[in-house]
Amino acid sequence: MSNNSTTLNLADETPYGYTPTLWIAIMFVVLFSISTLAQLIQGLYARHWFILPTIVLGGCGEILGWAARWWSNRNPNNGEPFTIQIATLIISPTPILGAHFIIFGRLVQILGPQYSRFRPRLYSRIFLSCDVASLVVQAVGGGIASSAVTTQESRLGSNIMLAGIAIQFIILICFMSIASEFLYRFNRNLPMRFESGNKIGYLDTRRRIGLLAVFFATSCLFIRAIYRLVELGDGWQGKVIHTQWLFDLFDSTMVTLVMYTWNFVPSSWILAEPSLESRQLQQIEMHRNGGSSDNTSNASNKPSNLVFYQRN
């Protein structure tokens, strides 16, 4: 990729500061189309309806945004596709993040709500509400920026979008902190509360991989949020927004990794009932340690490494 296509050239007065590279636009349209279609099929087959307004919706937004950049390659001075891709590619990862909250909340319910600062349903209620607020702020900012006719209006829209990304950034930090605390308490067998009927789930291979997937995908969106904060903070005429490879790498590549993470580690597999072998291993290990998996009062006497015991 030549520097002439990725950096601002005084002779190139396109809205981007460069002409979007054709093969990159086609590649991302294809990648997001394949992933989104697979997510739709997986969600419908498993009846995990939350996939549709989260990952599938976000994937459709990415397809639209990259189709607009493809259009810009053919008509680089046309402001309409530039406006479409600005709005869709900034907003689209926000609903995808919502799936992380739902999946993690269900994993907490399976493994042991007593180890979590929030009850499982609160992950959806609290973090999804904040996610929607972030989405609305970004959408308002994108609308103002896309319809701006003066520099002042454009700057206002940019600042509002920046506020929306900042809200998402804070959400990500809070979520990752609380999720990390849950894993620490689960591993150390340090429940936050004792309630009758609470059980300790068995951390089999699929749950372990599911937790790793949540943290990996959330980390990708965290990197993407940092990039967007820097980009919008640098302004519409800044060097960051006019450098194509930074956008391709730190925005769309991160979102692509998130999408394909949930293709290869689907929620239907993560949240499925444990196999008979896993349940038998759990019972054997509980018996060896003189404990029971039925309540947390007995769990407090178990060795801390019990919940991470794994045998293939």
Side-chain angles (χ1 to χ4, degrees):
M1 190 183 302
S2 66
N3 290 333
N4 290 335
S5 66
T6 58
T7 57
L8 180 62
N9 190 320
L10 294 178
D12 189 354
E13 297 183 359
T14 69
Y16 300 87
Y18 57 84
T19 300
T21 304
L22 179 61
W23 71 266
I24 293 179
I26 295 174
M27 178 185 70
F28 277 116
V29 167
V30 171
L31 286 174
F32 282 117
S33 297
I34 293 172
S35 178
T36 302
L37 178 60
Q39 289 290 349
L40 177 62
I41 294 172
Q42 289 169 347
L44 293 175
Y45 179 77
R47 297 187 178 182
H48 280 200
W49 309 120
F50 72 88
I51 295 295
L52 304 184
T54 56
I55 301 176
V56 172
L57 178 61
C60 290
E62 292 288 335
I63 295 169
L64 179 60
W66 274 99
R69 289 177 72 89
W70 186 348
W71 180 8
S72 289
N73 174 267
R74 299 302 187 187
N75 299 276
N77 293 311
N78 190 335
E80 186 176 351
F82 175 78
T83 299
I84 293 172
Q85 65 89 32
I86 279 287
T88 55
L89 296 183
I90 283 182
I91 294 172
S92 294
T94 303
I96 298 175
L97 180 59
H100 298 194
F101 306 145
I102 296 172
I103 292 172
F104 185 77
R106 294 188 181 183
L107 284 171
V108 168
Q109 181 65 54
I110 292 169
L111 295 175
Q114 63 272 32
Y115 296 100
S116 173
R117 182 166 296 275
F118 292 156
R119 299 183 187 280
R121 289 187 179 181
L122 288 181
Y123 283 95
S124 298
R125 293 176 182 176
I126 294 175
F127 286 108
L128 280 178
S129 297
C130 295
D131 207 33
V132 170
S134 169
L135 179 63
V136 170
V137 173
Q138 291 176 66
V140 170
I144 293 174
S146 62
S147 61
V149 294
T150 66
T151 302
Q152 185 177 3
E153 291 176 348
S154 178
R155 187 179 300 112
L156 174 62
S158 176
N159 289 337
I160 293 175
M161 283 192 292
L162 183 62
I165 294 292
I167 293 172
Q168 189 178 83
F169 184 73
I170 294 171
I171 293 169
L172 285 165
I173 293 176
C174 293
F175 174 68
M176 294 178 73
S177 299
I178 293 171
S180 298
E181 181 190 28
F182 169 79
L183 289 180
Y184 174 80
R185 289 182 174 277
F186 185 75
N187 188 32
R188 298 287 182 176
N189 198 21
L190 298 172
M192 294 196 67
R193 66 186 75 87
F194 292 96
E195 297 178 356
S196 61
N198 277 342
K199 296 183 178 181
I200 302 175
Y202 183 55
L203 192 63
D204 58 6
T205 300
R206 69 179 66 198
R207 316 292 191 213
R208 188 188 300 273
I209 293 176
L211 288 170
L212 289 174
V214 170
F215 274 89
F216 173 75
T218 305
S219 296
C220 288
L221 292 182
F222 184 77
I223 293 171
R224 182 256 178 193
I226 293 175
Y227 164 75
R228 282 295 192 175
L229 285 172
V230 173
E231 177 199 47
L232 293 176
D234 195 37
W236 292 107
Q237 300 303 319
K239 184 176 182 180
V240 176
I241 201 170
H242 287 152
T243 305
Q244 183 177 204
W245 73 266
L246 289 174
F247 174 78
D248 296 341
L249 177 61
F250 293 110
D251 186 285
S252 294
T253 299
M254 294 298 106
V255 181
T256 301
L257 289 174
V258 172
M259 292 286 292
Y260 278 89
T261 295
W262 299 121
N263 285 131
F264 289 105
V265 189
S267 61
S268 57
W269 181 74
I270 298 170
L271 303 174
E273 290 294 324
S275 65
L276 177 61
E277 180 183 1
S278 294
R279 292 196 298 269
Q280 289 173 340
L281 284 173
Q282 180 185 19
Q283 293 299 324
I284 291 171
E285 194 62 21
M286 293 292 183
H287 178 73
R288 285 178 178 175
N289 290 279
S292 170
S293 62
D294 290 337
N295 57 62
T296 56
S297 59
N298 289 332
S300 60
N301 296 322
K302 297 173 192 171
S304 61
N305 63 348
L306 169 60
V307 291
F308 270 88
Y309 179 84
Q310 175 69 37
R311 181 182 296 172
N312 296 320

